[in-house]
Amino acid sequence: MDDVALAAGGGDGVTGDVAVLGAGMHPWGKWGRGFVEYGTVAARAALADAGVDWRDITSVVGAETVRGGYPGYVAGATFAKALGWQGARVSSVYAACASGAQAIGTARAQLLAGLADVVLVVGADAAPKGFFRPAGGDRPDDPDWLRFRVLGATNPAYFALYARRRMTVHGDTLEDFARVKVKNAAQGSLNPLARYRKAVTAAEVAASAVVADPLRLLDICATSDGAAALVLSTPEFARRHGAVSPVRIRAVSTVTPTYPTTVLDLPDIATDSAAAVPPAEHTFRESVARAAYEEAGIGPEDLSVAEVYDLSTALELQWYEDLGLCAAGQGAELLREGATAPGGRIPVNTSGGLASFGEAVPAQAIAQVCELTWQLRGTAGARQIEGARVGITANQGLFGHGSSVVVVR
Amino acid sequence: MSRTRTPVVAHWFAGEGDAFRLLGTRCTACGAVFFPREDVLCRNPGCQGTDLDEVPLSPRGRVWSYTDGRYRPPAPYVSDPELPWRPYTLIAVELAAERMVVLGQGAPGVTVADLEVGMEVAAVPGVLSEDAGTTWTTWHWRPVGVTA
């Protein structure tokens, strides 16, 4: 796809585009306050950015946090009430780490179906200290409860299993993993919304405590408070509103895995068996990205920037391959070449990534789209990648959830 | 004081010594194998099977990957907060016949320094934790030829 086709807009993907009129975030951190406050701050920032009055929003979609209350205090309605009830249609979604992308997907479906013309999407969390853990009680029918009870398998344990596997199969080194952190921390130092805004050296990564061999503390993302919001509209509403060339969402992939799974995904104790049915051609993460490319009518060669879910440094390298930025096993080489740093062929995690933010689960996939929006508008300040026209997000969470969003301008 | 030996999860494993096996199920319609066991519905999307038989899994496999837990995991993992945390090893093991990867703790004394991807390991009976009246049993992976 070339620039001319992109500039024509609207008709290149499988579906129509929706416009991103506004993006806003509450800074990530450990603020000790409630997720409703964070979400409301982000929502007001997005509305102000869009120049849209809250009372003109016709639909609100909330991405839910489990930990801020019971499932999210039903997030969409909670945010709508906090902003002041004004009669908008409301939805709430929970999809683990992909909650934010599913909220965007829900808003987009309403816009494309003509059920709403301007939608507010909000995700916010107030994360607990330490390891994520399952809800309490004795619940042996919950795989997430079981992996803690039977194995003590924390999220970093799974990240470490993937990292060790990469080291053996692809020859990745601890130095490669540290390079990811150094790259992302440098970007985070330029982002006023990031929780960690200091440059990090490879020596500091190596000197940090081992959490789950071979991964160190600085290889693994923290858990944070934070919120992100978007104001999305139909192209017609955007035109009426005076948005001449808005950033547009062209694809939202939220596909499920295909049986049998071959990668040990959280919170599973085993993969599926491939004895009776051979595995699909692509892994789950690859299929999430491929569905996004197909829906958008683009390929990896069209990308200017990418925001990927670096729950660990090693996972960022995995995403390079799953997004098709390079061949399988070549992720570390792509990093070493500098291709994924600013100035490279395809800068990844220009926001600073989870390495600099820490994870605020229902907000994170929305925050990825906020960063792409600013990059494609050319308003990313010190982080700006010159001439960014097409961006992709990638994300994966528990229980077979994953997402990828394609944003164009 | 004698404790009752109780599996941490019922019907996931059985047997003692060399006869110890992880227990899965196999769909009688399509042959798909499941661990943890599926007892009601086959999860093969092309199969309507509802009849699944218990089947022992291969007693040995090869290390797919491994790690350890340097910090105390949260509940419901059981550990004594009065005692210093002692890291345990986690091993993901590829079973050739079943074409699947099964996670388990390493046997006591097995550390990451003892392991390599591709190494042969066996499922052996193990103890997860003990409380006043119960010894909670589990499965462990142990490198073949190591008795530690």
Side-chain angles (χ1 to χ4, degrees), chain A residues 36-227:
Chain A
V36 182
E37 178 183 331
Y38 307 144
T40 309
V41 167
R44 285 187 171 168
L47 288 162
D49 184 48
V52 170
D53 189 299
W54 156 238
R55 289 165 297 185
D56 294 330
I57 292 288
T58 53
S59 174
V60 182
V61 186
E64 309 205 297
T65 171
V66 169
R67 299 171 195 86
Y70 67 91
Y73 291 108
V74 197
T78 294
F79 296 130
K81 182 183 178 186
L83 291 162
W85 292 123
Q86 45 80 309
R89 176 193 296 266
V90 67
S91 318
S92 300
V93 299
Y94 181 73
C97 297
S99 298
Q102 287 206 2
I104 293 168
T106 300
R108 175 171 172 266
Q110 292 178 352
L111 292 166
L112 293 178
L115 297 173
D117 58 5
V118 58
V119 185
L120 175 67
V121 178
V122 191
D125 204 1
K129 189 173 162 55
F131 291 119
F132 280 153
R133 64 192 68 191
D138 197 30
R139 295 177 300 103
D141 56 350
D142 173 359
D144 195 37
W145 185 90
L146 276 173
R147 55 127 170 181
F148 280 95
R149 173 70 184 102
V150 178
L151 300 170
T154 62
N155 290 2
Y158 287 81
F159 309 155
L161 290 169
Y162 308 147
R164 173 61 65 188
R165 178 82 184 164
R166 286 194 62 87
M167 291 174 76
T168 305
V169 175
H170 299 315
D172 291 6
T173 65
L174 295 178
E175 291 71 27
D176 293 325
F177 300 156
R179 273 188 198 100
V180 175
K181 177 70 177 187
V182 170
K183 172 182 74 71
N184 290 349
Q187 289 302 107
S189 74
L190 304 175
N191 192 338
L193 296 164
R195 176 177 175 188
Y196 302 105
R197 299 202 291 272
K198 276 165 53 176
V200 171
T201 66
E204 287 170 323
V205 179
S208 66
V210 175
V211 173
D213 180 90
L215 295 180
R216 272 69 181 164
L217 188 64
L218 293 183
D219 285 304
I220 296 167
C221 93
T223 62
S224 294
D225 297 356

Side-chain angles (χ1 to χ4, degrees), chain B residues 50-121:
Chain B
T50 55
D51 188 14
L52 297 107
D53 292 339
E54 185 172 280
V55 59
L57 301 188
S58 301
R60 292 185 177 189
R62 294 194 178 275
V63 174
W64 184 83
S65 192
Y66 56 92
T67 184
D68 58 9
R70 301 289 178 96
Y71 292 85
R72 192 186 303 275
Y77 193 74
V78 176
S79 68
D80 185 347
E82 302 295 316
L83 297 177
W85 174 244
R86 203 184 58 180
Y88 57 87
T89 304
L90 280 171
I91 310 176
V93 176
E94 194 161 18
L95 305 179
E98 292 82 1
R99 294 190 65 188
M100 69 191 303
V101 174
V102 178
L103 195 55
Q105 290 191 345
V110 174
T111 72
V112 290
D114 303 320
L115 296 168
E116 280 179 35
V117 170
M119 179 181 274
E120 189 173 27
V121 293

Side-chain angles (χ1 to χ4, degrees), chain A residues 95-105 251-256 284-285 287-292 307-309 319 323 364-366 368-369 392-397 400-406:
Chain A
C97 297
S99 298
Q102 287 206 2
I104 293 168
V252 180
S253 162
T254 55
V255 297
T256 49
F284 175 45
R285 273 191 302 267
S287 70
V288 167
R290 292 179 71 87
E307 287 284 308
V308 308
Y309 227 58
W319 275 120
L323 282 176
Q364 214 67 44
I366 302 172
Q368 291 182 315
V369 176
I392 195 167
T393 72
N395 150 290
Q396 187 187 6
H401 289 114
S403 72
S404 179
V405 178
V406 175

